[in-house]
């Protein structure tokens, strides 16, 4: 008996836009954020389609993988390629008339990914800033979703986009302007950077990640680029000091960690800060954290997910108190990693041991930050240890606040 052929419920074609590989289904729905960048890149270079196939491990999940010729022939005889998707389409044409722009902005909340926890007002403000071509700076604590929000805006506006991690840049001039090269046959020549191409692409969205960790040389180069009255980049290496004008409609989105706790960041130049519209990401409440984790990990026990949200909330509340025993709370990025471990069969104590505790200093023995956090975690473990840390009223008061 021949094995039944498994068919995907969604088939996507990969198209390159800027330096991003976007995924479009046969009915025009955008699935870029659902498929890993490696899978999209390989499909584009291999010139094949990718499909969303049911999971083979027995759960209700799915996996994206290559659509073979055999599968395509079967799909052509089925209704999959012609069926309409139940997903909300993010293939949206941004309007130009004022009345249409107002309608687009104030009806844009449906474009926000469910996995992005951001209130409606701030999402609309973010979309409005993008539509109006503002320079946007996303701020907030580490692991709160700044880069995710910026990428969600890119997907919602459906414009060419370019990504630059300035925190990992060793040579700002090479990254933002270009390099001088030498070849024996042609001699010395100047090669422009991808950033030069990006700012010359009309209506492009340029993401400047980790701007607060960038070298001051990068800030100086960006000053004229970000200034609404100038909007140009000077290529000092070329003869005649050629200048590149920023194309119409180009939007810059930066992410930054601002605060004394971020030791590898630099104090942001006030003149640079003034060139941005600031959108501050909020730290999630316990309910919001629980909602996010439940959405991301539906197969993990709901009570355990609730405990993770409580643990994170307790550490965040403690870090803001006048007599704080920890310098910072557990980030959402950490809770997501911890719940990933829970999904893979680790218990709460084991997952905390490898994902939470190493982030806290163990100097000071029983009075250390790590010991305090361990006591919080143990309060929610099955062994019932550390009952002397909080009574029920203290736990309820901390989690409600």
């Amino acid at each position: 008996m021949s094995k039944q052929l498994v068919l995907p419920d969604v088939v996507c074609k990969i198209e390159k836009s800027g330096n991003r590989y976007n995924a479009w289904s046969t009915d025009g729905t955008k699935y870029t954020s659902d498929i890993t960048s490696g899978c999209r890149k390989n499909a584009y270079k291999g010139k094949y389609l990718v499909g969303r196939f049911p999971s083979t491990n027995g759960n209700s999940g799915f996996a994206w993988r290559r659509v073979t010729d055999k599968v395509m022939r079967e799909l052509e005889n089925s209704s999959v390629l012609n069926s309409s998707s139940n997903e909300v389409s993010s293939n949206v044409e941004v309007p130009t008339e004022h009345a249409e722009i107002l309608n687009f902005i104030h009806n844009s909340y449906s474009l926000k990914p469910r996995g992005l926890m951001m209130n409606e007002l701030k999402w609309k403000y973010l979309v409005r800033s993008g539509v109006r071509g503002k320079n946007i700076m996303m701020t907030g604590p580490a692991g709160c979703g700044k880069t995710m929000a910026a990428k969600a805006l890119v997907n919602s506006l459906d414009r060419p986009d370019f990504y630059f991690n300035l925190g990992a840049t060793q040579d700002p001039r090479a990254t933002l302007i270009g390099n001088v090269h030498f070849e024996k046959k042609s001699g010395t020549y100047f090669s422009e950077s991808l950033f030069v191409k990006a700012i010359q692409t009309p209506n492009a969205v340029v993401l400047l990640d980790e701007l607060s960790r960038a070298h001051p040389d990068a800030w100086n180069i960006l000053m004229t680029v970000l200034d609404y009255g100038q909007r140009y980049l000077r290529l000092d290496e070329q003869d005649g000091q050629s200048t590149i004008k920023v194309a119409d409609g180009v939007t810059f989105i930066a992410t930054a960690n601002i605060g004394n706790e971020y030791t590898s960041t630099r104090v942001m130049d006030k003149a640079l800060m003034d060139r941005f519209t600031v959108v501050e990401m909020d730290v999630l409440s316990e309910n919001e954290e629980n909602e996010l984790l439940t959405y991301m990990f539906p197969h993990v026990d709901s009570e355990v997910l609730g405990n993770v949200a409580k643990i994170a909330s307790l550490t965040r509340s403690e870090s803001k108190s006048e007599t704080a025993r920890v310098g910072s709370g557990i980030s959402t990025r950490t809770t997501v990693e911890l719940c990933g471990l829970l999904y893979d069969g680790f218990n709460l104590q084991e997952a905390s041991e490898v994902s939470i505790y190493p982030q806290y200093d163990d100097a000071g023995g029983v009075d250390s930050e790590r010991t305090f956090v361990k006591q919080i975690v143990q309060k929610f473990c099955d062994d019932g240890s550390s009952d002397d840390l909080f009574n029920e009223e203290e736990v309820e008061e901390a989690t409600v606040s």
Side-chain angles (χ1 to χ4, degrees):
M1 182 176 180
S2 61
K3 186 177 180 181
Q4 184 178 2
L5 188 63
V6 178
L7 299 179
D9 63 339
V10 176
V11 175
C12 290
K13 179 182 179 181
I14 310 301
E15 298 177 351
K16 191 173 183 181
S17 175
N19 62 351
R20 184 179 178 86
Y21 297 89
N22 288 319
W24 297 97
S25 70
T26 51
D27 67 349
T29 301
K30 193 173 185 180
Y31 285 91
T32 302
S33 59
D34 294 359
I35 310 173
T36 63
S37 58
C39 179
R40 286 183 275 120
K41 185 176 182 180
N42 290 338
Y44 178 81
K45 292 186 174 181
K47 298 181 180 180
Y48 57 81
L49 301 176
V50 292
R52 187 171 68 178
F53 291 81
S55 177
T56 58
N57 59 9
N59 61 35
S60 59
F62 55 83
W64 291 91
R65 61 177 184 267
R66 180 173 182 168
V67 176
T68 63
D69 292 340
K70 184 177 181 181
V71 170
M72 278 302 299
R73 285 194 298 271
E74 188 67 25
L75 287 173
E76 288 171 357
N77 296 323
S78 69
S79 59
V80 172
L81 291 180
N82 298 318
S83 63
S84 59
S85 172
N86 292 325
E87 301 283 342
V88 177
S89 174
S90 58
N91 180 17
V92 185
E93 182 179 352
V94 179
T96 56
E97 297 297 328
H98 180 60
E100 294 178 342
I101 289 176
L102 290 181
N103 184 62
F104 176 78
I105 293 171
H106 293 284
N107 289 286
S108 65
Y109 197 58
S110 61
L111 300 176
K112 183 188 73 66
R114 187 178 170 187
L116 174 63
M117 305 305 291
M118 190 176 189
N119 68 52
E120 185 172 355
L121 174 61
K122 290 195 175 183
W123 172 259
K124 289 180 178 179
Y125 181 46
L126 177 61
V127 171
R128 180 263 176 187
S129 300
V131 170
R132 293 299 189 185
K134 302 290 185 181
N135 301 327
I136 305 166
M137 178 175 290
M138 309 293 302
T139 66
C144 68
K146 297 184 294 296
T147 303
M148 182 181 181
K151 291 183 177 180
L153 175 63
V154 169
N155 285 335
S156 297
L157 297 182
D158 189 31
R159 293 176 173 176
D161 62 285
F162 299 84
Y163 176 85
F164 301 91
N165 189 328
L166 298 184
T169 299
Q170 301 296 320
D171 187 349
R173 296 191 67 82
T175 300
L176 299 177
I177 295 177
N179 268 322
V180 175
H181 300 278
F182 175 79
E183 287 186 356
K184 189 173 182 180
K185 293 183 178 180
S186 57
T188 301
Y189 67 95
F190 176 74
S191 177
E192 294 179 351
S193 69
L194 179 62
F195 183 76
V196 174
K197 175 186 176 182
I199 66 175
Q200 293 181 93
T201 305
N203 299 313
V205 180
V206 181
L207 178 56
L208 306 172
D209 209 5
E210 302 286 3
L211 184 62
S212 53
R213 298 179 184 274
H215 192 280
D217 284 351
W219 296 350
N220 292 333
I221 294 170
L222 290 170
M223 283 292 189
T224 57
V225 175
L226 297 169
D227 192 300
Y228 292 115
Q230 301 181 69
R231 302 279 281 184
Y232 71 85
L233 176 66
R234 186 176 298 277
L235 305 183
D236 296 325
E237 287 82 359
Q238 285 191 332
D239 293 338
Q241 295 187 336
S242 175
T243 59
I244 301 296
K245 296 293 291 183
V246 177
D248 293 338
V250 174
T251 298
F252 295 92
I253 308 177
T255 66
N257 295 120
I258 301 175
N260 293 332
E261 66 268 35
Y262 304 109
T263 56
S264 295
T265 62
R266 295 178 170 87
V267 177
M268 295 285 287
D269 188 289
K270 179 63 175 175
L272 185 67
M273 288 286 293
D274 283 344
R275 285 163 165 76
F276 288 96
T277 294
V278 177
V279 178
E280 184 180 30
M281 295 292 291
D282 297 319
V283 176
L284 301 188
S285 66
E286 180 188 325
N287 288 337
E288 290 171 333
E289 193 90 16
N290 192 16
E291 180 182 346
L292 174 63
L293 297 177
T294 301
Y295 166 69
M296 296 184 69
F297 302 96
H299 301 292
V300 176
D301 183 83
S302 59
E303 183 178 353
V304 178
L305 294 179
N307 288 340
V308 173
K310 286 184 173 69
I311 291 169
S313 180
L314 281 167
T315 61
R316 293 166 190 170
S317 298
E318 178 64 27
S319 68
K320 294 179 181 178
S321 69
E322 293 182 359
T323 58
R325 284 168 282 185
V326 290
S328 61
I330 298 171
S331 71
T332 297
R333 182 183 291 123
T334 298
T335 62
V336 169
E337 171 62 21
L338 186 148
C339 290
L341 292 169
L342 296 175
Y343 178 73
D344 287 335
F346 295 84
N347 62 40
L348 180 57
Q349 181 63 54
E350 293 169 337
S352 301
E353 187 75 36
V354 294
S355 64
I356 295 178
Y357 300 161
Q359 299 183 31
Y360 292 93
D361 190 0
D362 63 352
V366 294
D367 295 324
S368 69
E369 287 189 346
R370 185 174 299 186
T371 298
F372 179 77
V373 174
K374 281 185 176 181
Q375 290 176 321
I376 293 178
V377 172
Q378 289 167 0
K379 185 71 180 180
F380 297 93
C381 291
D382 293 336
D383 60 8
S385 60
S386 191
D387 288 335
D388 60 333
L389 178 62
F390 299 116
N391 59 39
E392 294 301 320
E393 290 77 12
E394 288 174 322
V395 172
E396 181 177 359
E397 180 181 354
T399 54
V400 169
S401 60

